[in-house]
Amino acid sequence: MSLQTNVTNWLNAYNEQPIQSSLNSDYIGSILDTNGQLHTGAEIYDPNTSLPYEIYDFN
């Protein structure tokens, strides 16, 4: 994977345009997990982990 591809992927993952254009509150104070799902508030904790306070893996 080239440096340009890595930079492009990073920019896509952290693009703020959806926030600015739709004012989608899911993007604020949330995490985007590695499956592309947004989790907010208490939902950031993964119920499938052995530790009660382990959060989802995120980008």
Side-chain angles (χ1 to χ4, degrees):
M1 190 176 279
S2 72
L3 177 59
Q4 181 62 55
T5 300
N6 286 336
V7 170
T8 300
N9 289 343
W10 183 88
L11 288 174
N12 288 337
Y14 293 95
N15 179 14
E16 293 181 8
Q17 191 58 42
I19 300 169
Q20 296 169 1
S21 62
S22 68
L23 302 178
N24 187 342
S25 62
D26 283 346
Y27 286 92
I28 300 177
S30 64
I31 63 168
L32 179 66
D33 73 20
T34 53
N35 294 320
Q37 299 295 311
L38 286 167
H39 302 276
T40 58
E43 299 292 322
I44 68 171
Y45 297 103
D46 186 350
N48 298 318
T49 58
S50 58
L51 297 174
Y53 300 109
E54 190 168 345
I55 65 172
Y56 283 94
D57 292 332
F58 60 93
N59 292 326

